[in-house]
Amino acid sequence: MRQFARKTISKAVAVEIAQTAGRLPRSGWVAFAGLLMQGLMPTAALAQDQQLAQANASGPAAASAAQPGAPAAQTVMVTARKKLERAQDVPVSMSAVSGESLVAKNRLGMIDYFAEVPGINLLGGDRGTSEISLRGLNSGTASRPTTAFTIDDTPFGGGQNIPDIDPSELQRVEVLRGPQGTLYGANSLGGLIKYVTILPDTQRFSTRVQVDGSRVTGGSIGFGLRTAVNLPVKADVMGLRLSAYTRRDPGFIDDVRTGATDINTSDTTGVRMAALLTPSNTLSVRASLMHQDTTSEASATINTDRSGNPLFGQYAQNRIPDTDGYERTITFGDLNIGKDFDWGRLTSVTSVSRLGYVAAQDASATLAGALNAVFPGRGLGGRNDQDNLSEQTTQELRLESPDDRQSSLDWRVGLFYLHQKNDSLQRLYAVVPATGAAAAGPTLANVNGKSKATESAVFGTATYRFTRAFDVQAGVRGNRNTIDTTTVSSGIIVSNSTARVESSTSSTTYLLTPRYTFSPDLMVYGTVATGFRPGGPTNAATPGAPTAYNADKSRNFELGLKGDFLNRSLSVAAALYSISWSDIQLNARATTGVSFIANGGEAKSDGAELSFTWMPRSGLKLTGNAVYSKAELTQDFLAAVTTVGTKGDRLPFAAKTTANLSFTQDFALGGFNAYAGAGVTFLGDRLGDFETRNVARVALAGYTTLDLQAGLRTKNWTISLFGKNMTDEVGYIGSRVTGPTQRLVLISPRTVGVSVSHSM
């Protein structure tokens, strides 16, 4: 029987979904609507989609078979290689975290995910920007991302505006460590984060409502409301899932200039509609449309001196009014059509997306030289307004062999195309520090950039089974990336000009993975895999900057082991890896303060990872992970690059050691099913961005946090209590030098809350 997970929404939310659809770019929406109409014609259900739906319905994991009476570690099903299989069988270092567990622990954003995933670091920025670093591969917070993101196999993201999706609509988050360029294309130098959304259930009607409340020490109150309904339009044939959510993440930062408190409070609202059509066993159609909006008046940053001592208090900042807020909107729609034949499977994945970002920044320190030159003696501050919009359409076609293991050869070939349009506006001008009002006089800079980017690729993988125990997977991908950028600039500190730059780069990535299976419960693998970021034109408004930058590439050598032990009560995954990184793309800065992308030298990342899940007795679950990583430059930055980096320097925000240990115990309490748990997470010390000459890098100390959870469950109700950072640890996850001072990004202080949910 085909089963799927559930949830959804009201008529008012359906109207909002329709309004959201109207905001999609016309060309992308027409393509999506046409394919949707085609897909909703009577079809047949793809066999693999049936399996995926069954895994989806059974929750984040299904219990594995063990001998009677023995507790069994859960079998996690993933789609890391674009097919459904056990995580323990995938010859890739990876982790899978269920959306259900993230919501239960109040881990609602990327800032919380790394606690359960080895080898991942979050580089927190101001104004809602952030970046993920896997295995230490990162060149700084202002550089292009080294970790790729997908939503249900579709590439998504825009620079530092990562798709931070509320986990209530996620079946799981899969984190693939190491380069993934062959299957997933550009920007996966260090790895890939894959959002897997919840599918509708075609069998039964269901609803779910959840209410959350939380309070942060010394800060404000947060709340959340999530609602979902599942509609089986036709039993075993068609299902709809409609959902909506809104939440307020409590703030804890005060502004000493204005007297405002808890200014980093953020609000997130979202809606989603998903449809699944499976009228037979040979073809299926899945379609979804999602919109999410996040706003905040400020980020969790404070001002400190260069030694890290807070200037205005541990949880206080001093900004020009209205220069630390942001709004980010995400609209995403996709259509997946799969057809089974006797000899293979054909899959078409189409998507359209829109990512908008509006923010303002207090740029007084960065623009100090220009302000003194243009407005001498007036004591003015500087403001940087940004308005960015990215619209994207993708199409992938895959043809692959049947997944029945009857043949010694499994194969997959595919075509991929991406078209992206970006509009960006950056305005630098002088303001009165006390009020934030624009000062009389000329604008320092207006830079309006418009670009069109395309990515086209052909890829293929094949796995040959030499024996029942030994197989080898090989793959190759050819990519061609083009960028056409037009920049119109005016102002005092940039040239008044209109410049057009075109760039085209080609890249080839590959993988080779031998695997030996000792038994269904134990296997070892080796991997050689590569990844890349495409090159492109640099900022044409920057005098003296190179006109283009080259692609940078990574290559990973890895040896791994995955196994189940102690009658399958213990699951273990371990890996040793060595990654080389060449032609590093990094952020450089001109004397005017305007930044641009340039190529630096070379780096490497060597490390070891260990993770486990152990169920020593019924109801008790222990999980843990530990990582040691040495990520550093192996070559000085090129002399033409204004940013300074020398051989042996650690890569930005790369911790040498990270670890997590947690447990959950289920038990009976007064007729209820109860549970309690705790988790401890350690993040080692790090260094901030590479800086210009004579400017020391920021040093970030390591820290340890303690999380607690407990709850009661009945057939329809769940009541849970959660506590994050219960020791009220002060920890920093990001930094930026601002002249003689610096800004540090804080983790949340102690946060406690309660969640109540009802399902039927």
Side-chain angles (χ1 to χ4, degrees):
M1 300 293 288
R2 296 187 296 271
Q3 295 180 341
F4 309 93
R6 33 198 195 270
K7 290 186 178 181
T8 219
I9 189 178
S10 63
K11 180 178 179 181
V13 174
V15 173
E16 175 64 21
I17 292 176
Q19 295 172 345
T20 295
R23 292 193 289 267
L24 281 170
R26 179 176 299 178
S27 59
W29 177 247
V30 169
F32 180 78
L35 286 171
L36 181 61
M37 293 178 65
Q38 173 187 349
L40 291 180
M41 297 171 62
T43 56
L46 182 65
Q48 182 168 310
D49 277 347
Q50 295 177 23
Q51 298 170 5
L52 178 61
Q54 290 169 357
N56 197 39
S58 61
S64 63
Q67 296 181 6
Q74 293 177 320
T75 298
V76 179
M77 305 300 292
V78 298
T79 55
R81 296 196 293 175
K82 298 193 175 184
K83 65 177 182 178
L84 189 69
E85 55 189 332
R86 294 194 316 163
Q88 287 291 80
D89 295 331
V90 179
V92 174
S93 179
M94 66 167 300
S95 301
V97 183
S98 74
E100 180 182 3
S101 69
L102 291 172
V103 172
K105 299 175 183 178
N106 200 241
R107 300 190 186 278
L108 304 179
M110 291 303 302
I111 193 172
D112 296 318
Y113 295 0
F114 72 84
E116 301 188 27
V117 177
I120 186 171
N121 286 308
L122 176 74
L123 289 68
D126 53 11
R127 299 161 295 141
T129 61
S130 56
E131 188 179 330
I132 292 297
S133 170
L134 287 168
R135 289 184 168 173
L137 264 65
N138 183 76
S139 54
T141 54
S143 301
R144 302 170 70 204
T146 57
T147 299
F149 287 82
T150 67
I151 302 177
D152 291 333
D153 276 349
T154 297
F156 185 82
Q160 294 173 301
N161 284 299
I162 61 177
D164 208 351
I165 299 174
D166 189 273
S168 63
E169 280 305 296
L170 299 177
Q171 174 63 18
R172 63 185 176 276
V173 180
E174 298 179 11
V175 180
L176 283 61
R177 293 178 287 275
Q180 305 295 325
T182 303
L183 276 181
Y184 292 99
N187 301 319
S188 58
L189 278 173
L192 173 85
I193 294 181
K194 185 174 185 178
Y195 293 113
V196 181
T197 60
I198 299 175
L199 292 176
D201 187 337
T202 61
Q203 290 189 326
R204 67 188 186 91
F205 172 84
S206 62
T207 63
R208 189 173 190 274
V209 177
Q210 177 176 323
V211 179
D212 305 326
S214 61
R215 179 66 181 262
V216 62
T217 299
S220 61
I221 294 176
F223 64 84
L225 173 63
R226 299 171 176 85
T227 179
V229 60
N230 188 89
L231 305 171
V233 178
K234 185 175 181 180
D236 291 328
V237 175
M238 184 175 182
L240 291 176
R241 174 186 169 85
L242 306 171
S243 60
Y245 52 88
T246 182
R247 78 170 198 256
R248 168 165 289 183
D249 297 332
F252 50 88
I253 299 294
D254 300 335
D255 190 323
V256 297
R257 182 175 304 203
T258 65
T261 60
D262 309 326
I263 57 175
N264 64 314
T265 299
S266 66
D267 294 293
T268 299
T269 58
V271 292
R272 180 173 178 261
M273 175 176 65
L276 175 66
L277 184 64
T278 58
S280 75
N281 290 326
T282 60
L283 189 122
S284 71
V285 178
R286 291 184 279 142
S288 70
L289 179 63
M290 177 191 71
H291 179 78
Q292 178 176 293
D293 183 87
T294 302
T295 61
S296 179
E297 294 183 1
S299 52
T301 57
I302 63 169
N303 304 84
T304 75
D305 62 21
R306 288 309 313 274
S307 298
N309 301 308
L311 298 178
F312 308 105
Q314 185 59 68
Y315 297 102
Q317 63 175 228
N318 185 352
R319 299 283 192 277
I320 292 174
D322 302 321
T323 60
D324 199 33
Y326 68 93
E327 179 178 9
R328 179 171 49 245
T329 59
I330 296 172
T331 303
F332 176 80
D334 72 332
L335 176 67
N336 184 307
I337 303 175
K339 172 67 176 176
D340 262 354
F341 303 94
D342 292 338
W343 46 268
R345 176 184 301 125
L346 177 65
T347 303
S348 169
V349 182
T350 308
S351 76
V352 292
S353 62
R354 185 178 190 270
L355 176 60
Y357 175 73
V358 178
Q361 178 189 22
D362 183 343
S364 300
T366 304
L367 298 173
L371 290 168
N372 290 332
V374 179
F375 305 96
R378 294 179 58 181
L380 297 178
R383 176 171 169 143
N384 179 4
D385 288 345
Q386 297 182 40
D387 190 345
N388 301 324
L389 176 64
S390 176
E391 299 174 336
Q392 178 176 288
T393 302
T394 71
Q395 174 64 53
E396 180 171 300
L397 290 173
R398 297 196 305 267
L399 187 63
E400 54 198 322
S401 59
D403 193 20
D404 54 13
R405 298 188 65 85
Q406 297 301 311
S407 171
S408 59
L409 178 66
D410 292 337
W411 52 268
R412 175 186 293 109
V413 294
L415 299 172
F416 175 79
Y417 179 77
L418 175 149
H419 181 272
Q420 187 179 82
K421 183 174 70 172
N422 298 293
D423 291 335
S424 64
L425 176 62
Q426 185 176 17
R427 183 176 178 232
L428 308 177
Y429 58 100
V431 295
V432 179
T435 64
T443 297
L444 298 178
N446 276 324
V447 181
N448 188 1
K450 294 182 180 294
S451 67
K452 294 181 180 179
T454 64
E455 178 180 345
S456 54
V458 56
F459 62 92
T461 62
T463 302
Y464 187 79
R465 286 183 284 274
F466 292 89
T467 68
R468 288 182 176 272
F470 179 66
D471 62 50
V472 176
Q473 180 187 30
V476 65
R477 184 187 188 103
N479 262 76
R480 183 173 180 83
N481 295 81
T482 65
I483 303 179
D484 184 345
T485 299
T486 299
T487 304
V488 180
S489 58
S490 62
I492 300 298
I493 66 173
V494 296
S495 57
N496 295 321
S497 63
T498 298
R500 181 180 178 185
V501 182
E502 297 180 80
S503 175
S504 178
T505 59
S506 298
S507 301
T508 300
T509 55
Y510 60 87
L511 67 86
L512 182 66
T513 306
R515 176 178 61 172
Y516 190 87
T517 304
F518 294 94
S519 72
D521 296 331
L522 179 63
M523 69 97 164
V524 294
Y525 67 90
T527 293
V528 182
T530 60
F532 76 101
R533 287 185 296 186
T538 193
N539 189 341
T542 306
T547 58
Y549 54 92
N550 299 322
D552 56 352
K553 299 180 180 180
S554 63
R555 182 174 60 184
N556 179 41
F557 293 92
E558 183 173 322
L559 179 64
L561 174 148
K562 294 184 178 183
D564 294 331
F565 305 95
L566 302 179
N567 197 23
R568 296 188 178 177
S569 66
L570 173 65
S571 293
V572 176
L576 300 172
Y577 65 86
S578 179
I579 302 176
S580 59
W581 185 10
S582 60
D583 283 336
I584 299 172
Q585 294 176 11
L586 53 91
N587 187 62
R589 190 177 298 277
T591 56
T592 60
V594 178
S595 61
F596 59 94
I597 298 175
N599 293 102
E602 298 181 353
K604 68 175 182 178
S605 177
D606 300 330
E609 300 165 344
L610 174 67
S611 60
F612 72 89
T613 298
W614 185 29
M615 299 180 66
R617 64 172 185 265
S618 180
L620 176 60
K621 180 180 179 181
L622 300 172
T623 62
N625 65 69
V627 175
Y628 173 80
S629 177
K630 187 178 181 181
E632 62 184 23
L633 295 177
T634 57
Q635 183 185 44
D636 296 351
F637 285 161
L638 302 180
V641 176
T642 59
T643 303
V644 176
T646 59
K647 182 178 179 179
D649 287 351
R650 288 170 62 181
L651 295 182
F653 304 97
K656 287 187 176 180
T657 55
T658 62
N660 171 263
L661 181 64
S662 62
F663 81 91
T664 303
Q665 174 69 64
D666 294 332
F667 55 94
L669 180 65
F672 293 94
N673 296 318
Y675 67 92
V680 177
T681 300
F682 169 75
L683 178 63
D685 64 277
R686 292 134 291 138
L687 292 175
D689 289 327
F690 294 117
E691 299 292 347
T692 54
R693 194 171 304 279
N694 299 322
V695 177
R697 297 174 65 183
V698 178
L700 301 176
Y703 62 87
T704 302
T705 57
L706 170 66
D707 296 344
L708 302 176
Q709 58 174 316
L712 299 173
R713 300 189 185 100
T714 66
K715 179 181 179 180
N716 301 113
W717 290 91
T718 299
I719 302 175
S720 60
L721 304 175
F722 56 84
K724 298 190 298 183
N725 191 10
M726 294 302 293
T727 57
D728 208 18
E729 183 86 350
V730 175
Y732 300 109
I733 58 172
S735 65
R736 187 161 66 88
V737 175
T738 54
T741 64
Q742 61 192 21
R743 295 179 185 175
L744 300 183
V745 184
L746 280 158
I747 64 172
S748 295
R750 181 190 300 113
T751 303
V752 296
V754 61
S755 175
V756 180
S757 64
H758 180 267
S759 302
M760 57 175 291

